[in-house]
Amino acid sequence: MGADDPWVTPAERTGLTATPTYAETVTWLQRLVEAAPELSMVSLGRSPEGRDIWMVVASAEGAFTPATLKASGKPTLLAQAGIHPGEIDGKDAGLMLLRDMTVKSTKTKLLSGANFLFVPILGVDGHERSSLYGRINQRGPVEMGWRTNARNLNLNRDYSKLDTPEIQAIVRVINQWEPDLYLDLHVTNGIDKQYDITFCYNGQQSWSPGIAAWLEKRLTPALNQDLKAMGHIPGPHIFARDRRDLSRGVVASTAGPRYSNGYGDARHLPTVLVESHSLKPYRQRVLGTYVLLESSLRTLAKYGRQLRRAVTADRARQPERVPLTWKVPDAKPDEIEFLGVQWETTPSDISGGDRINYTGQPVTLTVPYIKYNEPEVSVTRPRAYWIPPSWPEVIDRLSRHGIYLETIAEPREVVVELARLSEVNLADEPFEGHVPVTAVARFERRTVTFPAGSVRVPTDQPLGDLAVLLLEPDSPDSFFQWGFFLEVLQRAEYVEGYVMEPLARRMLDRNPTLKRAFEKKLTEDDDFAADPRARLMWFYERTPYFDDRWRVYPVGRE
Ligand SMILES: [Zn+2]
């Protein structure tokens, strides 16, 4: 497009070498929306620094509300750029595409088969923390934003815990507008390779097997074909097992619900993580992302009905066992043809280790394709969870996810399984504003009176799998492991030795079984025998005075 064309985008004006600021982006989009009856712009809310997070709604019929858009009957694509604001290819690609499908009329057809929701910049605050030095591993744009938001939180770790207004906003979009396909647009670093654009999603082993099959059989071949036709080299988004020796294989993970693609999988929303390659020129990456967006819209128009059937089936599936973590199966992995770039490894007197140097020479390798696709820890799906009203942060987040909750107006006695926690391990460092914690959870059956205002979270609902992942203490993305329940790990009441002594004496006199147990412990455990306080505590724990809620995870399983 000529630099004097009134609809040249700010990035095109620089030959796709630089990216516009937030203000330039919003001004340009407002002008486009003004001129195009197919477009509207809505604020999804404000960032921590007070910037509006904008979404462009593109609809051939001018259906600009969730209700009218759904009534159009067409499938809807939601694409977001700049969740990591330095990785901004998607924004500049999206601006070009919105223009071409409206005022330029070269891609009008795309909107006749599908609706398009486009968030040009999700991490608006990080986007404005822009400099020449945003991403050391990335070739362009000239200046780029910073990875985290104004609170230094990584938005693509926030999908499960929902701390940030940015991710809360995008989850509201998902709940209200109900897109059929969700694309999260990034730029990856890592090893050099020939691929200029890669993408991935959780496989068919995961929480949404029907959706995964569609992504594999319908979307992937279409994207690959269209990208290749335009001179790009698409491939799967994977990591090297050992950067010094690619022949050891490449690794594909199953993303958990803290990540966009894992979250989509857990809530049965078809979601694809797109990663263009940081070592390719900005222009090539933006153009590749453009083709991918265009191709996704076309595929959705063509196979959207089939995708909706897969979504319905996955929502209704509600398996009895829900996997929480994934491992590599024992069987020998498949092999994959990998389009690499030749590398040399030489000793470095700077690091004292090895130095990897990429020669730029393309090389095709056949390597093991290692997939984390076998369930490691799984749980039996309970009928429901019970949460006391004293944990409003947790209840509020469940509700923001769109999980259906029943709130009781009167206290209710319920037989539940409660987990007693042992071997509690707090992380040495904070992570994403939390102190992560793990523990061994042993469930015991108890009758508990839940106060008025407690919520019951049934698992036979479309978001039932997500509820399991958020509430099971063994789940790495549970509120428990994120550290939302640290209080229950703290002991509040103590016993004086002079009070415990006579009480322990009476207990020994009255209970021969207890006496035998105590004597056994003394002979078997020398540390215990030598620790007066531990010996008194042993009795205290066996009195009714001892706190029966200490180290008890307060969320019950029905
Ligand atoms: Zn990223």
Side-chain angles (χ1 to χ4, degrees):
M1 174 150 307
D4 53 350
D5 188 293
W7 291 113
V8 68
T9 69
E12 285 173 317
R13 213 174 291 132
T14 70
L16 295 181
T17 58
T19 197
T21 63
Y22 172 86
E24 288 163 345
T25 306
V26 174
T27 305
W28 190 90
L29 277 171
Q30 278 165 342
R31 189 163 65 87
L32 181 71
V33 166
E34 195 81 3
E38 306 92 335
L39 302 182
S40 162
M41 231 164 126
V42 290
S43 170
L44 307 179
R46 294 273 176 94
S47 69
E49 288 184 346
R51 293 183 182 88
D52 278 302
I53 300 163
W54 291 103
M55 178 169 83
V56 180
V57 183
S59 145
E61 298 82 16
F64 298 139
T65 64
T68 54
L69 197 80
K70 276 178 255 177
S72 76
K74 294 176 191 174
T76 298
L77 173 68
L78 167 63
Q80 78 191 16
I83 189 174
H84 291 150
E87 309 167 11
I88 202 63
D89 311 15
K91 175 188 71 180
D92 289 316
L95 263 52
M96 291 161 63
L97 186 61
L98 286 170
R99 171 202 58 205
D100 293 345
M101 32 164 74
T102 58
V103 292
K104 277 293 162 190
S105 305
T106 54
K107 305 280 180 187
T108 317
K109 255 188 158 169
L110 293 174
L111 281 184
S112 62
N115 308 308
F116 185 35
L117 302 175
F118 180 65
V119 179
I121 313 167
L122 183 58
V124 287
D125 293 345
H127 186 274
E128 292 310 277
R129 189 179 164 189
S130 179
S131 76
L132 294 167
Y133 310 106
R135 277 170 65 75
I136 192 170
N137 303 314
Q138 185 173 304
R139 291 181 176 150
V142 179
E143 291 190 16
M144 59 189 93
W146 189 255
R147 184 172 179 80
T148 50
N149 81 350
R151 292 268 301 244
N152 199 32
L153 293 174
N154 183 339
L155 300 181
N156 200 24
R157 303 293 181 274
D158 194 41
Y159 279 86
S160 49
K161 63 183 170 60
L162 285 187
D163 287 336
T164 65
E166 295 92 334
I167 298 301
Q168 289 173 8
I170 206 74
V171 167
R172 264 198 310 275
V173 169
I174 291 169
N175 283 322
Q176 290 172 358
W177 296 78
E178 298 182 53
D180 293 275
L181 177 63
Y182 178 29
L183 302 180
D184 184 19
L185 308 171
H186 291 247
V187 182
T188 188
N189 29 264
I191 57 168
D192 198 3
K193 55 194 174 189
Q194 295 171 51
Y195 307 103
D196 60 351
I197 188 157
T198 59
F199 51 92
C200 71
Y201 40 83
N202 282 354
Q204 291 190 42
Q205 78 284 349
S206 64
W207 300 293
S208 300
I211 290 170
W214 186 92
L215 294 171
E216 214 169 289
K217 288 178 192 144
R218 294 297 179 211
L219 187 67
T220 300
L223 296 183
N224 284 339
Q225 189 187 329
D226 291 345
L227 283 160
K228 280 179 192 163
M230 294 303 285
H232 295 279
I233 307 182
H237 175 56
I238 44 190
F239 294 96
R241 184 181 184 191
D242 177 354
R243 289 178 180 207
R244 289 163 308 175
D245 183 5
L246 264 180
S247 69
R248 296 194 61 211
V250 292
V251 179
S253 60
T254 295
R258 71 186 56 185
Y259 304 98
S260 58
N261 51 326
Y263 180 68
D265 182 19
R267 61 173 294 153
H268 318 303
L269 165 65
T271 304
V272 180
L273 173 70
V274 178
E275 299 272 4
S276 59
H277 188 225
S278 62
L279 296 178
K280 305 298 186 287
Y282 190 54
R283 178 187 167 78
Q284 184 181 351
R285 285 160 29 207
V286 172
L287 295 178
T289 308
Y290 179 103
V291 175
L292 186 137
L293 288 170
E294 189 188 344
S295 178
S296 300
L297 281 163
R298 263 202 305 271
T299 309
L300 203 50
K302 197 166 171 193
Y303 298 112
R305 230 174 261 268
Q306 199 183 45
L307 179 58
R308 281 193 184 168
R309 281 199 296 275
V311 170
T312 306
D314 284 342
R315 283 181 177 172
R317 194 169 144 261
Q318 301 171 10
E320 200 175 313
R321 299 283 295 169
V322 181
L324 304 176
T325 62
W326 307 89
K327 63 176 180 183
V328 177
D330 291 333
K332 192 167 177 279
D334 297 339
E335 293 198 314
I336 184 176
E337 191 172 85
F338 187 76
L339 303 179
V341 168
Q342 193 61 53
W343 71 98
E344 300 160 345
T345 308
T346 50
S348 162
D349 59 354
I350 292 180
S351 72
D354 288 334
R355 174 198 161 165
I356 296 171
N357 184 39
Y358 292 102
T359 67
Q361 195 64 37
V363 57
T364 302
L365 304 155
T366 302
V367 300
Y369 195 2
I370 300 152
K371 294 178 182 170
Y372 282 79
N373 62 4
E374 190 170 292
E376 187 177 30
V377 178
S378 300
V379 288
T380 301
R381 182 191 206 87
R383 193 175 304 144
Y385 293 94
W386 282 87
I387 311 173
S390 33
W391 304 94
E393 315 87 329
V394 169
I395 294 170
D396 174 63
R397 282 168 169 79
L398 292 168
S399 156
R400 283 179 191 277
H401 279 296
I403 294 172
Y404 168 73
L405 309 172
E406 299 161 9
T407 307
I408 54 170
E410 300 291 333
R412 195 183 301 173
E413 202 172 77
V414 191
V415 179
V416 290
E417 284 182 343
L418 283 184
R420 191 172 284 283
L421 307 163
S422 59
E423 294 166 56
V424 174
N425 189 12
L426 293 169
D428 295 333
E429 287 193 8
F431 178 66
E432 296 299 323
H434 290 265
V435 179
V437 57
T438 56
V440 173
R442 283 194 192 83
F443 284 88
E444 40 193 71
R445 191 172 274 259
R446 284 205 203 181
T447 303
V448 178
T449 304
F450 283 93
S454 296
V455 299
R456 180 177 182 269
V457 189
T459 63
D460 59 342
Q461 58 172 309
L463 297 183
D465 292 352
L466 179 62
V468 172
L469 291 164
L470 295 173
L471 293 173
E472 283 295 330
D474 282 340
S475 162
D477 262 296
S478 61
F479 293 117
F480 172 71
Q481 290 203 23
W482 274 113
F484 281 78
F485 289 95
L486 294 179
E487 294 94 317
V488 304
L489 304 175
Q490 170 188 336
R491 201 180 268 186
E493 191 60 86
Y494 288 86
V495 63
E496 297 289 358
Y498 62 83
V499 173
M500 199 59 240
E501 284 278 351
L503 183 54
R505 175 68 56 207
R506 279 205 300 281
M507 288 164 77
L508 285 173
D509 290 347
R510 286 177 194 171
N511 188 341
T513 315
L514 181 86
K515 187 159 186 283
R516 276 195 300 277
F518 181 56
E519 282 159 0
K520 187 158 177 267
K521 180 87 175 156
L522 286 178
T523 52
E524 283 176 0
D525 187 340
D526 292 342
D527 292 342
F528 175 76
D531 184 343
R533 185 74 199 159
R535 288 166 63 156
L536 288 179
M537 284 307 294
W538 190 88
F539 286 96
Y540 177 48
E541 284 168 15
R542 285 158 179 78
T543 72
Y545 295 100
F546 189 73
D547 181 4
D548 66 348
R549 293 188 189 179
W550 180 59
R551 285 192 169 178
V552 172
Y553 176 54
V555 176
R557 284 164 40 158
E558 179 186 310

